[in-house]
Amino acid sequence: TRSFTDPSVSMDLLRAVLQPSINEEIRGVFNKYMKFFQTAAINVRDNVGEEVDPEQLIQETCRSCLEQAKLLFSDGKKVVPRLPHEQAGTKRARQMDEELSRRGSPIPKKRKGRPPGQSLSNDRGVSSMAAWKLKVSEPVRRDGPKWDPSRLTETTTFVLGSRANKALGMGGTRGRLYIKHPHLFKYAADPQDKHWLAEQQHMRATGGKMAYLLIEEDIRDLAASEDYRDSVDLRLEELKPFIPPAWMTEKMQKHME
């Protein structure tokens, strides 16, 4: 038992009181830069392939930012290890500073002004990104009616994520559906599942290519929502739903649980 006169206990109590406000301000900081993370993650997905999950990539990047931010409060004993490309960048910056000092040139100072993302509200298309910012910066809650295992029965129909993207008019940006609607149930097919999907000609046998399965009802609900129902790019005939075998449905139920 520790006394409340213990300095560390007193400070931790204060931290607990202030933590919600601190979290909210940190979230606001990340929202300023979220457009850059989202654009980069989608580009990675387009260049590398569907095995890349943009949502997961963004979450990992945000966590990495927080880890590196700990250096601001380092006591000099515990230092967060830097990534190889960060070490190289730091070394180059140091070499440039030394070179400028030898030449007698003043080291250029950073210009004052709004940080990146501060003026994004004036950018074209940013209004459509607002919903993305909130959803990606918040922890994804995988619960509620959409994640109820009892939804999945022997007659539940599914669609491939790639077809759902096309059906909702996002065919040119793979993975956008998962970023824009992170609370949507999706199941990553394993090799056994992909073998069955290829045998049934629902997808090509392409080795390590990632394949997500989504519930057809969820996609049709999205198509009927205000965001999509009036879109000229809707192509619901692209869905091509199917009923998976019982053993695959059971795996998806466990994934929901």
Side-chain angles (χ1 to χ4, degrees), residues 176-234:
R176 182 179 174 187
L177 173 64
Y178 313 129
I179 297 179
K180 193 172 182 182
H181 305 285
H183 298 77
L184 204 64
F185 170 74
K186 69 177 186 293
Y187 169 76
D190 62 23
Q192 182 188 22
D193 304 327
K194 287 189 281 189
H195 179 72
W196 181 88
L197 290 166
E199 276 191 337
Q200 302 299 314
Q201 298 183 344
H202 294 304
M203 64 175 288
R204 297 177 182 176
T206 52
K209 185 177 181 181
M210 180 64 76
Y212 285 114
L213 302 186
L214 299 95
I215 300 173
E216 180 193 10
E217 180 186 5
D218 291 348
I219 303 305
R220 292 195 178 275
D221 286 346
L222 280 178
S225 67
E226 291 185 6
D227 291 339
Y228 299 97
R229 64 188 176 201
D230 296 325
S231 173
V232 295
D233 296 320
L234 270 183

Side-chain angles (χ1 to χ4, degrees), residues 13 96 102 237 249 257:
L13 286 172
M96 184 179 294
R102 284 197 298 269
E237 67 277 5
T249 303
E257 292 172 355

Side-chain angles (χ1 to χ4, degrees), residues 88-203:
T90 303
K91 185 177 180 181
R92 284 195 299 270
R94 191 183 300 115
Q95 290 173 344
M96 184 179 294
D97 289 349
E98 292 174 355
E99 180 66 21
L100 288 171
S101 296
R102 284 197 298 269
R103 294 179 180 179
S105 302
I107 299 175
K109 297 181 180 179
K110 294 182 179 179
R111 294 181 179 180
K112 293 184 179 181
R114 290 183 291 186
Q118 187 77 9
S119 59
L120 291 179
S121 58
N122 296 325
D123 288 354
R124 185 177 180 182
V126 171
S127 58
S128 63
M129 299 286 290
W132 293 25
K133 291 182 179 180
L134 179 61
K135 291 178 180 177
V136 174
S137 60
E138 293 177 350
V140 179
R141 295 184 57 194
R142 293 183 170 90
D143 56 18
K146 298 284 186 189
W147 287 78
D148 182 1
S150 64
R151 292 184 69 199
L152 307 187
T153 67
E154 58 184 12
T155 60
T156 304
T157 51
F158 289 82
V159 297
L160 285 174
S162 56
R163 291 194 176 279
N165 266 283
K166 291 179 182 178
L168 295 176
M170 305 180 192
T173 314
R174 291 175 295 177
R176 182 179 174 187
L177 173 64
Y178 313 129
I179 297 179
K180 193 172 182 182
H181 305 285
H183 298 77
L184 204 64
F185 170 74
K186 69 177 186 293
Y187 169 76
D190 62 23
Q192 182 188 22
D193 304 327
K194 287 189 281 189
H195 179 72
W196 181 88
L197 290 166
E199 276 191 337
Q200 302 299 314
Q201 298 183 344
H202 294 304
M203 64 175 288

